[in-house]
Amino acid sequence: MKSVILRKGANMAMTGLMLAAALAVLVPLVLIFVHIIKMGLSSISLDFFTQIPKPTGETGGGMANGMAGSAVMIALASIIGLPIGIFGAIYLSEYGGSRISTVIRFAADVLAGIPSIITGMVAYTLLVVPMKGFSALAGAVALAMIMIPIILRTTEEQLKMVPGSLREASLALGVPLWRTSLKVTLRSAMTGVMTGVLLAIARVAGETAPLLFTALGNQFWSSKLTAPMAAMPLQIFNFAISPYEDWHRLAWAGALVLVTIMFALSLSARYFGRSRQKN
Amino acid sequence: MQNKVKLEQLNVHFGATHAVKDVSMDFFENSVTAIIGPSGCGKSTVLRAINRMHDLVPSARVTGRILLDDKDIYDKVADPVSIRRRVGMVFQKPNPFPAMSIYDNVIAGYKLNGRVNRSEADEVVESSLKRVALWDEVKDRLKGNSMELSGGQQQRLCIARTIAVKPEVILMDEPASALDPISTLKIEELIEELKEKYTIIIVTHNMQQAARVSDHTAFFYLGELVEAGETRKIFTTPDKKQTEDYITGRFG
């Protein structure tokens, strides 16, 4: 009898311990949100979304150019990264099976784990040095290099989950493998692929290090892809390390907006994932 | 009777497994040939060899010849895609494309190949669905989801999709084994009708079904062809003891 009580007590203790550990995951997230909202919310105004930063000494101003710059570079990075990631994944999932696929898969996993500052240095060497100047293009390439392995691996996983019977149905109708892969397999996996793409975008939206030596940042509006361009994470970084109180407030507001955007992206990724399961 | 498909010393290996051993036999035009045998006897493997479905399995190796109208489909210059347009296939589990409507499923063979002509498409959809006796059941919801159809309707939809691209040979891999008896009966009646225009090869587990729908029957055991001939003869006076034992239910 005693042993039963002991056993039940041990079970409860361990359950409590594991629950506490699981809850601990939430703590940093809640702390980040609470703190950023507290510090940033008061500085959010219409100006923040429409103005560019004011010169030192003047109060007010916003991060409109940073948001636009981030949007441009993420869009450009997606244009580069999506086809490479998705087509590469189709090769691995639908055509692969040879040794080269194993090598590519391993390389993608290593690439995904490379510190993003190194990705930035690679883009610097490949683009900034030969083009003799920092540029939005170099920033986008650096971001694309981070996106590609994420998109490649998530897309491959999604394609592998498509039942073989659909591929066979298409092939048996005399549809070539490449058309089958694009129009049947990829299409069936599309919602899952979109989830991976959104997660990749959420990941690079907050990247600062790869942009330091590539896009550099810009205090003004710039739409030239070959010139330095502002980006939200860069502006947050620059404002946060500046000595001015007003810029600190902008940095907090920027942090709040960035975290909100990433939160929204993750939520929509989950929504996509959910609607796929329903089918 | 005109021979349409001819197997000549067909061998299929999967890695170290020798799944089909030295099979030679004929399939005749406008007739139904049933392939029977216990699980794992290689009957589906033979069927899939006839439209080169094994091409996608890296470990699969096919040797010997398969003649379609006297041309070897495994010849170096033969193109698997054009062969599959001539040799259609219906699978064990109904597999309509879930993201497509009923209409789009029927026309999928054209649509996926990027060559659809609106008025022609309407005609193909209607005639194909009529041919499989599904038209009256779905004509009011052609744009509806194909997954809302019953299993038997889905399988007839898959057959409509197959005949829409006008093949010459139709391979059926246990097409009714996932269906209820009434749906099975409809599929069997359909097979009976389809043989007027097509050469049909059907793999089945169900011996009564083979006896009901086929003109010719081939009995496979452990990857080898034991006996092939007219269905009536195979089911009444088979030459081989093994065939008789299987038909009478003594093993398998």
Side-chain angles (χ1 to χ4, degrees), chain A residues 53-103:
Chain A
K54 288 268 165 71
T56 339
E58 286 179 44
T59 53
M63 283 193 180
N65 58 341
M67 285 183 248
S70 278
V72 167
M73 281 189 276
I74 289 170
L76 195 56
S78 303
I79 290 171
I80 303 168
L82 280 181
I84 297 180
I86 291 178
F87 277 87
I90 292 177
Y91 178 80
L92 292 185
S93 156
E94 309 298 307
Y95 294 77
S98 53
R99 188 165 303 158
I100 187 146
S101 311
T102 320
V103 173

Side-chain angles (χ1 to χ4, degrees), chain B residues 43-44 91-92 155 172-178 202-205:
Chain B
K43 52 192 192 303
S44 287
F91 299 85
Q92 181 173 7
Q155 192 64 299
M172 295 187 167
D173 192 356
E174 301 190 40
S177 68
I202 176 172
V203 160
T204 177
H205 246 105

Side-chain angles (χ1 to χ4, degrees), chain B residues 1-6 26-33 68-70 86 167-170 194-201 215-216:
Chain B
M1 212 175 298
Q2 188 68 40
N3 130 353
K4 181 77 183 170
V5 177
K6 190 178 181 67
D26 294 318
F27 299 94
F28 301 100
E29 199 156 20
N30 303 113
S31 83
V32 179
T33 306
L68 174 63
D69 285 340
D70 298 323
R86 295 174 62 197
E168 298 157 36
V169 180
I170 300 177
L194 289 176
K195 76 173 184 187
E196 287 169 20
K197 280 184 81 172
Y198 310 95
T199 302
I200 294 174
I201 306 173
D215 306 301
H216 299 266

